[in-house]
Amino acid sequence: MAVATGNVTEEGKTEIDSGDPGAALFGNFINYYSFNPPENRLSLIPASLLQELGYSSAADRAPFLLLDVGCNSGDLSIALYRHLLGLDEDSCEPRGGGALEGRKQLHLLGCDLDETLIQRAQEGNPFPETVTFLPLDITDRGAREEVLGSYLARYGRPSFDLCACLAVTMWVHLNHGDQGLLELLSSLAALCHHLLLEAQPWRCYRAAARRLRRAGRTDFEHFKQLRVRGVPGIRGHLESRCGMELVHSFGHTAWDRSLLLFQRRSPEQERSSKKVKK
């Protein structure tokens, strides 16, 4: 796989380039965090996020389960894990400020379709007891049910407490079309109580298609047929079809992407919502 490098565009945004830009057809750049470091997201996410969501470090509390979809080489997964636990970089000792005390309270599963990236994540994992990295194409329903179902069964749980889906939706959208994107959103909503989402704006789609053409390849199969556009389309589906609601916007990343937190509506809220629609 070609090594992607970062070039600054006239808009001031980093654009990925390489000898073969199209090599990362699914966004699986092998040095992604060199040009979009974890701090770009973590600076927006409060260390007390889990506490704000109502989770505590009570000794009798079941572990908090976090799913990171499209984890790449795991850099952001590990950084987020440290951030939420209040762990200093390169340290396993809490500095304070995190919602949960003790690493056994937070369990993270990172998945990515690129087995090479997952191997790198596994080899560099400093928390193998509580952080797991597994290869998984999240769009493959059978594999998704097998891998995630098996993981959840270990804890006797039907779903994750939080799912992070950061800069993944565009690649699913480009490769699987509108239907693929909507199916992804529906499956994630069914898998978690809270969904932390970063969706790429349309200009990123154009840039990805341009890189593919520059590599001498044709456009993404579904690019010209896409009708779901941006955050409004994604939010609309999550709220109207998936029983979720937007509860917080953490602002925009350095690449001007919204970082949004959705929450599954309670049965009472869902019934009330359906009555209003009628």
Side-chain angles (χ1 to χ4, degrees):
M1 184 180 294
V3 177
T5 57
N7 296 325
V8 179
T9 69
E10 60 184 12
E11 295 176 341
K13 303 292 187 297
T14 303
E15 182 178 85
I16 305 157
D17 197 6
S18 74
D20 181 13
L25 184 63
F26 302 101
N28 49 327
F29 301 101
I30 65 173
N31 66 339
Y32 179 75
Y33 296 110
S34 68
F35 51 83
N36 190 14
E39 292 73 22
N40 282 356
R41 281 77 167 248
L42 296 186
S43 62
L44 299 175
I45 302 172
S48 58
L49 174 62
L50 305 188
Q51 196 171 41
E52 293 176 13
L53 295 181
Y55 298 95
S56 70
S57 59
D60 59 348
R61 174 120 198 166
F64 185 95
L65 300 184
L66 170 56
L67 173 65
D68 184 11
V69 175
C71 65
N72 198 272
S73 57
D75 296 47
L76 178 57
S77 306
I78 295 299
L80 179 61
Y81 184 83
R82 292 183 182 278
H83 184 65
L84 295 177
L85 284 178
L87 302 176
D88 286 317
E89 186 176 357
D90 300 324
S91 171
C92 295
E93 296 301 321
R95 63 174 182 273
L100 304 179
E101 297 177 3
R103 289 189 282 114
K104 292 184 179 180
Q105 292 295 107
L106 175 59
H107 291 240
L108 184 149
L109 171 61
C111 62
D112 197 283
L113 56 71
D114 191 313
E115 294 188 7
T116 299
L117 291 173
I118 286 296
Q119 183 178 354
R120 288 177 55 188
Q122 292 170 340
E123 293 172 349
N125 182 7
F127 308 108
E129 292 183 358
T130 50
V131 175
T132 303
F133 292 106
L134 295 174
L136 172 65
D137 179 354
I138 196 67
T139 65
D140 184 327
R141 180 177 179 179
R144 183 176 68 235
E145 292 178 351
E146 179 181 353
V147 172
L148 301 184
S150 176
Y151 182 86
L152 289 168
R154 289 162 47 185
Y155 301 92
R157 306 275 287 279
S159 59
F160 292 87
D161 296 298
L162 173 66
C163 173
C165 182
L166 308 177
V168 171
T169 54
M170 178 184 76
W171 301 106
V172 171
H173 204 185
L174 285 170
N175 285 284
H176 298 276
D178 286 339
Q179 188 61 31
L181 171 65
L182 300 181
E183 288 179 356
L184 170 71
L185 296 172
S186 296
S187 66
L188 294 182
L191 278 168
C192 65
H193 293 284
H194 295 88
L195 174 62
L196 183 62
L197 186 70
E198 176 194 8
Q200 295 97 322
W202 189 248
R203 61 176 174 75
C204 293
Y205 285 66
R206 294 196 300 267
R210 184 168 61 248
R211 289 195 299 270
L212 206 62
R213 291 192 297 270
R214 192 182 299 161
R217 304 172 66 174
T218 58
D219 275 336
F220 290 94
E221 178 183 355
H222 301 278
F223 179 56
K224 294 181 179 179
Q225 286 76 46
L226 299 180
R227 295 293 177 266
V228 178
R229 297 290 182 93
V231 171
I234 289 175
R235 177 182 177 182
H237 181 75
L238 287 171
E239 294 189 328
S240 66
R241 301 285 185 176
C242 303
M244 303 202 90
E245 62 179 341
L246 178 65
V247 293
H248 194 79
S249 173
F250 294 109
H252 293 78
T253 68
W255 287 8
D256 198 29
R257 299 174 184 174
S258 299
L259 195 59
L260 307 173
L261 180 67
F262 291 86
Q263 176 179 284
R264 185 188 298 172
R265 286 193 289 263
S266 67
E268 294 76 16
Q269 290 174 315
E270 188 65 11
R271 286 194 293 269
S272 176
S273 175
K274 290 181 179 179
K275 289 180 180 179
V276 170
K277 291 178 183 178
K278 289 179 181 180

